[in-house]
Amino acid sequence: MNNKQNRSYLYGVVGGYLLYLAYELFAAREDPNTTMTPAVRWLFVGLFIVAGVFLLIWATRLWIAARKEKDEVEKPPEDPKGMK
Amino acid sequence: MDKPVANQSNIRKADPASLLKKNAMLIILVLVYIFFTIMTNGRMFRPNSFASLINQNAYVYILGCGMLMCMLTGGNIDLSCGAFVCLLGALGGMMMVHWGMGTAISIIALLAIGVVYGCALGAIIAYVHVPPWIATLAGYLAFRGLGTAILGVSTTNSISFNNNQEFLSIFSGTLFKTPEGTLNWPCLIVGLVAAALVILLVFRNRAVRLKKGYEVDQIGMDVAKSALSAAAIILVMYKLAYSGGIPTALVWVGAVVLFYSFITSKTTIGRHFYVVGGNIEAARLSGVNTRRIMFIAYLNMAILTSIAAMTTVSRFTAANADAGKNFEMDAISACVVGGVSASGGAGTVLGMVIGATLIGVINLGMFQVNLDANYQRVVKGFVLLAAVVFDILSKKKAK
């Protein structure tokens, strides 16, 4: 487990949380006590969805890059003299 | 002991840009506080606001210390702490209210459950090598369901602690209680003593660094740092002195924060957390038992979650199925906003405390200006997003 992978998990969790906040904002649209206008609500829902998806994609790319680095490190070295 | 000697080569030149960057979060905290004080017509500056800030955010400081130790080991997190708070609250309610167990035994039992869970989690992560986010995700999903099932014995799906004054006084009471509005002298004296200790520590630290030949800031900087820190402590304790006394939550938070400050800055094992987070292979080759460090990080987190559960349940005087909701995100936010690196190896308890206080001030300020709960969610989301974007950009810059 390298630090890059862990960082990707953290970014993924934050991205997921932003999507969850977007859902909470959307779910609260029927709340009679709210002072948030529908236009403002949809703006923030949209922003959080975009930010959440962006972070999830970023996290996935970081994870893939971390896996590639790890595989490169673990790859057995090529035999330079071709003795095998 | 040789008298420490300051020569020109030891004295760091004052650099305003670097000073601003180093203390950016602190400056932002002060500005946000001033902003909300103006917006609330001074209500944020009242004694009961200070007490509310501490009582409402005690769990963030406590869980933040645990999350800091996990993140230091390489950006690892614990997603189960919020749900574990719910489960422990339910179990505490069953023990103290339904089964009639004594307060002391119940507290010990809850801490023991935390230890057992921490050992299991630490072993799974450190020795079986299950990724932490998967291991703790299992807890996140399972514990809330379990807690809700336990609370189902009550028709209201919650257990009240109103008859357990002993338990409530330990975790959400007030020390040296006096009527609100009258000056509480013990509280003020504690503040003055704490301020004096901080000043002493700053100059003792300076003397030790000079003696060892390390770089130190200019004397004016240390004077300003100690004076501002002392002033902040005295202000907080002065305000609490008029709010009825010292909240026991502050005692718990203070003890946890001071303990982890000491561990992370003055002990070998504390440095090992940084080393493991910085480069785990180098740490292992240097003789650091990396598996043990990971095990300790998660055991430690579980114990702190037990303490946070007791402070939370005590504050609400009840255990309910919603207890601990999003606590893990609050702890992660406090760490990320406070400058703890998402890759591990960097971050301080003081940074986490500043991050937690900033988020607490924002939450309290929004509540006091009667901001719609939906706008509060928006602000929470943006604060966390800004912290993560800052982390991504600083990583790119470092490359």
Side-chain angles (χ1 to χ4, degrees):
Chain A
M1 177 83 45
N2 63 35
N3 293 6
K4 223 173 186 172
Q5 264 182 311
N6 291 342
R7 202 155 38 103
S8 73
Y9 296 140
L10 183 64
Y11 291 162
V13 164
V14 173
Y17 182 63
L18 289 174
L19 290 175
Y20 168 73
L21 281 178
Y23 164 75
E24 279 205 321
L25 279 175
F26 173 75
R29 68 193 185 285
E30 304 293 336
D31 182 2
N33 300 320
T34 187
T35 56
M36 194 181 258
T37 61
V40 169
R41 180 190 310 284
W42 283 114
L43 173 69
F44 286 127
V45 166
L47 274 171
F48 279 155
I49 288 174
V50 166
V53 168
F54 172 79
L55 270 177
L56 284 171
I57 293 171
W58 187 276
T60 309
R61 286 177 64 177
L62 196 62
W63 186 84
I64 292 169
R67 285 294 303 194
K68 273 190 185 157
E69 257 180 46
K70 198 178 168 197
D71 291 339
E72 278 295 320
V73 164
E74 286 173 358
K75 206 164 92 176
E78 280 176 15
D79 185 11
K81 291 186 180 173
M83 289 179 84
K84 277 194 179 166
Chain B
M1 181 171 125
D2 295 335
K3 204 173 170 187
V5 173
N7 57 55
Q8 285 305 110
S9 60
N10 284 28
I11 309 291
R12 209 178 284 133
K13 278 192 181 152
D15 178 11
S18 154
L19 199 67
L20 209 67
K21 194 176 168 192
K22 203 172 153 188
N23 296 296
M25 273 301 139
L26 191 57
I27 294 166
I28 290 169
L29 170 61
V30 171
L31 291 173
V32 166
Y33 183 75
I34 292 170
F35 169 76
F36 277 115
T37 304
I38 295 169
M39 292 294 290
T40 58
N41 296 321
R43 279 203 306 277
M44 282 287 283
F45 204 61
R46 286 190 193 157
N48 54 8
S49 292
F50 281 78
S52 294
L53 187 66
I54 291 161
N55 286 321
Q56 286 171 13
N57 294 288
Y59 76 92
V60 185
Y61 295 114
I62 295 169
L63 290 176
C65 284
M67 197 65 78
L68 167 75
M69 303 308 282
C70 292
M71 286 180 76
L72 283 178
T73 61
N76 296 305
I77 52 177
D78 179 356
L79 294 173
S80 66
C81 56
F84 196 46
V85 162
C86 172
L87 176 63
L88 287 173
L91 287 171
M94 290 302 291
M95 282 190 262
M96 281 182 262
V97 178
H98 283 258
W99 299 337
M101 283 168 67
T103 304
I105 293 182
S106 302
I107 291 172
I108 291 167
L110 288 173
L111 286 169
I113 294 168
V115 167
V116 167
Y117 172 57
C119 286
L121 187 63
I124 289 169
I125 290 168
Y127 297 101
V128 183
H129 300 296
V130 173
W133 75 276
I134 291 177
T136 56
L137 185 65
Y140 172 81
L141 296 170
F143 290 150
R144 191 164 297 281
L146 205 52
T148 307
I150 292 169
L151 288 167
V153 298
S154 161
T155 49
T156 54
N157 269 359
S158 70
I159 299 175
S160 170
F161 283 80
N162 278 326
N163 293 332
N164 292 75
Q165 288 305 314
E166 196 184 6
F167 175 75
L168 296 178
S169 64
I170 294 171
F171 290 98
S172 65
T174 311
L175 291 178
F176 312 118
K177 198 173 174 68
T178 51
E180 267 187 51
T182 59
L183 182 63
N184 185 301
W185 281 103
C187 188
L188 197 58
I189 290 166
V190 165
L192 290 168
V193 167
L197 281 170
V198 162
I199 295 171
L200 197 71
L201 275 168
V202 167
F203 286 98
R204 183 185 170 276
N205 202 30
R206 181 186 176 84
V208 166
R209 287 180 72 85
L210 278 172
K211 188 188 167 192
K212 291 182 178 176
Y214 294 142
E215 248 189 359
V216 293
D217 289 323
Q218 292 180 346
I219 185 82
M221 288 292 301
D222 280 340
V223 168
K225 195 162 60 177
S226 56
L228 285 169
S229 305
I233 292 169
I234 292 170
L235 173 67
V236 169
M237 296 310 282
Y238 177 76
K239 286 292 177 185
L240 287 175
Y242 277 102
S243 74
I246 304 174
T248 47
L250 178 62
V251 175
W252 286 102
V253 167
V256 167
V257 163
L258 286 171
F259 178 73
Y260 284 93
S261 278
F262 176 75
I263 293 288
T264 52
S265 60
K266 303 285 184 204
T267 64
T268 311
I269 193 166
R271 298 315 298 173
H272 284 174
F273 278 85
Y274 286 95
V275 162
V276 165
N279 187 329
I280 194 167
E281 270 311 301
R284 194 181 57 80
L285 291 168
S286 304
V288 174
N289 191 333
T290 55
R291 291 182 186 185
R292 192 170 63 182
I293 295 296
M294 290 292 287
F295 176 84
I296 290 170
Y298 282 91
L299 169 60
N300 172 69
M301 182 75 200
I303 294 171
L304 286 173
T305 306
S306 301
I307 298 172
M310 290 188 268
T311 57
T312 302
V313 154
S314 189
R315 184 165 85 84
F316 291 114
T317 65
N320 61 56
D322 281 339
K325 204 172 169 194
N326 291 330
F327 275 20
E328 57 283 336
M329 292 313 301
D330 290 340
I332 291 170
S333 301
C335 289
V336 176
V337 167
V340 178
S341 170
S343 318
T348 60
V349 172
L350 180 61
M352 182 281 298
V353 166
I354 292 171
T357 308
L358 176 63
I359 292 170
V361 165
I362 291 172
N363 285 338
L364 186 64
M366 289 192 295
F367 175 76
Q368 293 206 345
V369 297
N370 294 320
L371 199 63
D372 193 323
N374 293 310
Y375 283 110
Q376 293 185 34
R377 285 188 190 106
V378 168
V379 170
K380 245 185 179 175
F382 275 121
V383 166
L384 186 55
L385 181 62
V388 165
V389 166
F390 182 76
D391 188 74
I392 292 173
L393 291 175
S394 58
K395 281 280 162 314
K396 276 195 154 184
K397 200 177 171 188
K399 267 189 183 176

